[in-house]
Short mmCIF file of all heavy atoms in Angstrom, two decimals:
data_model
loop_
_atom_site.label_atom_id
_atom_site.label_comp_id
_atom_site.label_asym_id
_atom_site.label_seq_id
_atom_site.Cartn_x
_atom_site.Cartn_y
_atom_site.Cartn_z
N ALA A 255 -56.84 0.09 38.59
CA ALA A 255 -57.87 -0.95 38.48
C ALA A 255 -58.15 -1.57 39.84
O ALA A 255 -59.31 -1.80 40.21
CB ALA A 255 -57.43 -2.02 37.48
N GLU A 256 -57.08 -1.83 40.61
CA GLU A 256 -57.25 -2.40 41.95
C GLU A 256 -58.04 -1.46 42.86
O GLU A 256 -58.90 -1.90 43.64
CB GLU A 256 -55.88 -2.71 42.56
CG GLU A 256 -55.15 -3.85 41.87
CD GLU A 256 -53.76 -4.07 42.44
OE1 GLU A 256 -53.38 -3.32 43.39
OE2 GLU A 256 -53.04 -4.95 41.95
N LYS A 257 -57.74 -0.16 42.75
CA LYS A 257 -58.45 0.82 43.60
C LYS A 257 -59.92 0.93 43.22
O LYS A 257 -60.79 1.11 44.09
CB LYS A 257 -57.75 2.17 43.50
CG LYS A 257 -56.37 2.19 44.14
CD LYS A 257 -55.67 3.53 43.95
CE LYS A 257 -54.28 3.50 44.59
NZ LYS A 257 -53.53 4.75 44.37
N ILE A 258 -60.21 0.83 41.92
CA ILE A 258 -61.61 0.86 41.48
C ILE A 258 -62.35 -0.34 42.01
O ILE A 258 -63.46 -0.23 42.55
CB ILE A 258 -61.69 0.92 39.94
CG1 ILE A 258 -61.08 2.24 39.42
CG2 ILE A 258 -63.14 0.78 39.47
CD1 ILE A 258 -60.85 2.24 37.92
N ASN A 259 -61.75 -1.51 41.86
CA ASN A 259 -62.41 -2.74 42.32
C ASN A 259 -62.61 -2.73 43.84
O ASN A 259 -63.63 -3.21 44.34
CB ASN A 259 -61.59 -3.95 41.90
CG ASN A 259 -61.59 -4.14 40.38
OD1 ASN A 259 -62.56 -3.79 39.69
ND2 ASN A 259 -60.50 -4.66 39.84
N LEU A 260 -61.65 -2.15 44.58
CA LEU A 260 -61.78 -2.06 46.03
C LEU A 260 -62.92 -1.11 46.40
O LEU A 260 -63.71 -1.40 47.30
CB LEU A 260 -60.47 -1.57 46.64
CG LEU A 260 -60.47 -1.42 48.17
CD1 LEU A 260 -60.76 -2.76 48.85
CD2 LEU A 260 -59.13 -0.85 48.66
N ALA A 261 -63.02 0.03 45.68
CA ALA A 261 -64.10 0.98 45.95
C ALA A 261 -65.46 0.32 45.72
O ALA A 261 -66.39 0.49 46.53
CB ALA A 261 -63.95 2.22 45.06
N LYS A 262 -65.58 -0.44 44.64
CA LYS A 262 -66.85 -1.12 44.36
C LYS A 262 -67.17 -2.14 45.45
O LYS A 262 -68.32 -2.26 45.89
CB LYS A 262 -66.78 -1.81 42.99
CG LYS A 262 -66.57 -0.87 41.79
CD LYS A 262 -67.71 0.11 41.61
CE LYS A 262 -68.99 -0.56 41.16
NZ LYS A 262 -70.05 0.45 40.87
N LYS A 263 -66.14 -2.86 45.88
CA LYS A 263 -66.33 -3.87 46.92
C LYS A 263 -66.78 -3.24 48.23
O LYS A 263 -67.62 -3.79 48.95
CB LYS A 263 -65.03 -4.65 47.13
CG LYS A 263 -65.12 -5.77 48.14
CD LYS A 263 -63.80 -6.51 48.24
CE LYS A 263 -63.88 -7.64 49.27
NZ LYS A 263 -62.58 -8.37 49.39
N GLU A 264 -66.24 -2.04 48.53
CA GLU A 264 -66.55 -1.35 49.78
C GLU A 264 -67.80 -0.49 49.69
O GLU A 264 -68.21 0.13 50.67
CB GLU A 264 -65.36 -0.49 50.20
CG GLU A 264 -64.12 -1.30 50.56
CD GLU A 264 -62.92 -0.43 50.90
OE1 GLU A 264 -62.95 0.79 50.60
OE2 GLU A 264 -61.96 -0.98 51.47
N GLY A 265 -68.41 -0.44 48.50
CA GLY A 265 -69.63 0.33 48.34
C GLY A 265 -69.42 1.82 48.22
O GLY A 265 -70.35 2.61 48.43
N ARG A 266 -68.19 2.23 47.89
CA ARG A 266 -67.91 3.65 47.69
C ARG A 266 -68.18 4.04 46.24
O ARG A 266 -67.88 3.27 45.32
CB ARG A 266 -66.45 3.96 48.05
CG ARG A 266 -66.15 3.79 49.53
CD ARG A 266 -64.73 4.22 49.89
NE ARG A 266 -63.74 3.26 49.40
CZ ARG A 266 -62.82 3.54 48.51
NH1 ARG A 266 -62.76 4.75 47.96
NH2 ARG A 266 -61.95 2.62 48.15
N PRO A 267 -68.75 5.22 45.98
CA PRO A 267 -69.10 5.60 44.61
C PRO A 267 -67.87 5.80 43.72
O PRO A 267 -66.84 6.32 44.17
CB PRO A 267 -69.83 6.93 44.79
CG PRO A 267 -70.20 7.01 46.23
CD PRO A 267 -69.16 6.24 46.97
N VAL A 268 -67.99 5.37 42.47
CA VAL A 268 -66.98 5.67 41.44
C VAL A 268 -67.55 6.78 40.56
O VAL A 268 -68.60 6.60 39.92
CB VAL A 268 -66.65 4.43 40.60
CG1 VAL A 268 -65.72 4.80 39.44
CG2 VAL A 268 -66.01 3.36 41.48
N LEU A 269 -66.89 7.93 40.56
CA LEU A 269 -67.34 9.10 39.81
C LEU A 269 -66.40 9.29 38.62
O LEU A 269 -65.22 9.60 38.79
CB LEU A 269 -67.33 10.34 40.71
CG LEU A 269 -68.11 11.58 40.27
CD1 LEU A 269 -68.15 12.62 41.39
CD2 LEU A 269 -67.56 12.22 39.00
N ALA A 270 -66.91 9.10 37.43
CA ALA A 270 -66.10 9.26 36.21
C ALA A 270 -66.18 10.70 35.73
O ALA A 270 -67.28 11.25 35.57
CB ALA A 270 -66.60 8.32 35.12
N VAL A 271 -65.04 11.32 35.52
CA VAL A 271 -64.98 12.69 35.01
C VAL A 271 -64.87 12.62 33.50
O VAL A 271 -63.82 12.28 32.94
CB VAL A 271 -63.78 13.45 35.62
CG1 VAL A 271 -63.68 14.85 35.00
CG2 VAL A 271 -63.94 13.55 37.13
N GLY A 272 -65.99 12.89 32.83
CA GLY A 272 -66.01 12.90 31.37
C GLY A 272 -66.47 11.59 30.77
O GLY A 272 -66.29 10.51 31.35
N THR A 273 -67.07 11.70 29.60
CA THR A 273 -67.55 10.50 28.90
C THR A 273 -66.40 9.59 28.49
O THR A 273 -66.59 8.38 28.35
CB THR A 273 -68.37 10.89 27.65
OG1 THR A 273 -67.56 11.72 26.80
CG2 THR A 273 -69.63 11.65 28.05
N THR A 274 -65.20 10.16 28.30
CA THR A 274 -64.05 9.31 27.93
C THR A 274 -63.67 8.40 29.09
O THR A 274 -63.31 7.24 28.88
CB THR A 274 -62.85 10.17 27.51
OG1 THR A 274 -62.47 11.05 28.57
CG2 THR A 274 -63.17 10.97 26.27
N SER A 275 -63.74 8.91 30.32
CA SER A 275 -63.47 8.07 31.49
C SER A 275 -64.54 6.99 31.62
O SER A 275 -64.25 5.85 31.97
CB SER A 275 -63.40 8.91 32.75
OG SER A 275 -62.32 9.82 32.70
N VAL A 276 -65.80 7.37 31.34
CA VAL A 276 -66.89 6.39 31.38
C VAL A 276 -66.63 5.27 30.38
O VAL A 276 -66.74 4.08 30.72
CB VAL A 276 -68.24 7.07 31.07
CG1 VAL A 276 -69.35 6.02 30.98
CG2 VAL A 276 -68.58 8.11 32.14
N ARG A 277 -66.29 5.65 29.15
CA ARG A 277 -66.04 4.66 28.11
C ARG A 277 -64.89 3.73 28.49
O ARG A 277 -64.94 2.51 28.24
CB ARG A 277 -65.73 5.35 26.78
CG ARG A 277 -66.97 5.96 26.10
CD ARG A 277 -66.59 6.88 24.94
NE ARG A 277 -65.73 6.23 23.96
CZ ARG A 277 -66.15 5.37 23.04
NH1 ARG A 277 -67.43 5.04 22.99
NH2 ARG A 277 -65.31 4.84 22.19
N THR A 278 -63.86 4.30 29.10
CA THR A 278 -62.71 3.50 29.50
C THR A 278 -63.07 2.48 30.58
O THR A 278 -62.77 1.29 30.46
CB THR A 278 -61.58 4.41 30.00
OG1 THR A 278 -61.18 5.29 28.96
CG2 THR A 278 -60.37 3.58 30.44
N LEU A 279 -63.72 2.95 31.63
CA LEU A 279 -64.03 2.07 32.76
C LEU A 279 -64.99 0.96 32.36
O LEU A 279 -64.80 -0.20 32.74
CB LEU A 279 -64.61 2.88 33.91
CG LEU A 279 -63.68 3.94 34.53
CD1 LEU A 279 -64.36 4.62 35.70
CD2 LEU A 279 -62.36 3.33 34.95
N GLU A 280 -66.00 1.31 31.58
CA GLU A 280 -66.97 0.30 31.17
C GLU A 280 -66.35 -0.70 30.18
O GLU A 280 -66.72 -1.87 30.16
CB GLU A 280 -68.20 0.97 30.57
CG GLU A 280 -69.01 1.79 31.56
CD GLU A 280 -69.63 0.97 32.68
OE1 GLU A 280 -70.17 -0.13 32.39
OE2 GLU A 280 -69.56 1.40 33.85
N SER A 281 -65.38 -0.23 29.38
CA SER A 281 -64.73 -1.12 28.41
C SER A 281 -63.73 -2.05 29.09
O SER A 281 -63.51 -3.17 28.64
CB SER A 281 -64.01 -0.29 27.34
OG SER A 281 -64.93 0.49 26.61
N ALA A 282 -63.10 -1.56 30.18
CA ALA A 282 -62.07 -2.35 30.86
C ALA A 282 -62.66 -3.35 31.85
O ALA A 282 -61.92 -4.14 32.44
CB ALA A 282 -61.10 -1.42 31.59
N ALA A 283 -63.98 -3.31 32.03
CA ALA A 283 -64.64 -4.20 33.00
C ALA A 283 -65.16 -5.46 32.33
O ALA A 283 -65.61 -5.43 31.17
CB ALA A 283 -65.78 -3.47 33.69
N ASP A 284 -65.10 -6.57 33.04
CA ASP A 284 -65.67 -7.81 32.52
C ASP A 284 -67.16 -7.86 32.85
O ASP A 284 -67.73 -6.90 33.39
CB ASP A 284 -64.92 -9.04 33.05
CG ASP A 284 -64.97 -9.16 34.58
OD1 ASP A 284 -65.92 -8.62 35.20
OD2 ASP A 284 -64.07 -9.80 35.15
N GLU A 285 -67.79 -8.97 32.53
CA GLU A 285 -69.25 -9.06 32.71
C GLU A 285 -69.66 -8.99 34.17
O GLU A 285 -70.82 -8.71 34.49
CB GLU A 285 -69.78 -10.35 32.07
CG GLU A 285 -69.28 -11.63 32.68
CD GLU A 285 -67.93 -12.07 32.08
OE1 GLU A 285 -67.33 -11.29 31.32
OE2 GLU A 285 -67.49 -13.19 32.39
N ASN A 286 -68.73 -9.22 35.08
CA ASN A 286 -69.02 -9.13 36.52
C ASN A 286 -68.69 -7.77 37.11
O ASN A 286 -68.81 -7.58 38.32
CB ASN A 286 -68.24 -10.21 37.27
CG ASN A 286 -68.63 -11.62 36.84
OD1 ASN A 286 -69.83 -11.92 36.73
ND2 ASN A 286 -67.66 -12.46 36.57
N GLY A 287 -68.27 -6.84 36.24
CA GLY A 287 -67.96 -5.50 36.72
C GLY A 287 -66.57 -5.35 37.30
O GLY A 287 -66.26 -4.31 37.90
N ILE A 288 -65.72 -6.34 37.12
CA ILE A 288 -64.34 -6.27 37.61
C ILE A 288 -63.50 -5.55 36.55
O ILE A 288 -63.47 -5.97 35.38
CB ILE A 288 -63.76 -7.67 37.88
CG1 ILE A 288 -64.65 -8.41 38.88
CG2 ILE A 288 -62.32 -7.55 38.38
CD1 ILE A 288 -64.76 -7.75 40.23
N VAL A 289 -62.83 -4.47 36.95
CA VAL A 289 -62.00 -3.71 36.03
C VAL A 289 -60.62 -4.33 35.94
O VAL A 289 -59.99 -4.62 36.97
CB VAL A 289 -61.90 -2.24 36.48
CG1 VAL A 289 -60.94 -1.46 35.58
CG2 VAL A 289 -63.28 -1.58 36.46
N HIS A 290 -60.13 -4.52 34.72
CA HIS A 290 -58.82 -5.12 34.49
C HIS A 290 -57.85 -4.07 33.97
O HIS A 290 -58.17 -3.32 33.06
CB HIS A 290 -58.95 -6.27 33.49
CG HIS A 290 -59.82 -7.40 34.00
ND1 HIS A 290 -59.33 -8.43 34.76
CD2 HIS A 290 -61.16 -7.62 33.86
CE1 HIS A 290 -60.31 -9.25 35.07
NE2 HIS A 290 -61.44 -8.79 34.54
N GLY A 291 -56.69 -4.01 34.58
CA GLY A 291 -55.68 -3.06 34.16
C GLY A 291 -55.03 -3.46 32.85
O GLY A 291 -55.10 -4.61 32.41
#
Side-chain angles (χ1 to χ4, degrees):
E256 291 176 1
K257 291 176 181 177
I258 295 168
N259 293 329
L260 180 61
K262 298 297 290 185
K263 182 178 180 181
E264 294 177 345
R266 294 185 287 117
V268 174
L269 197 171
V271 176
T273 57
T274 58
S275 295
V276 174
R277 286 168 54 77
T278 299
L279 297 183
E280 294 296 317
S281 298
D284 61 25
E285 63 274 9
N286 298 314
I288 303 299
V289 175
H290 297 273

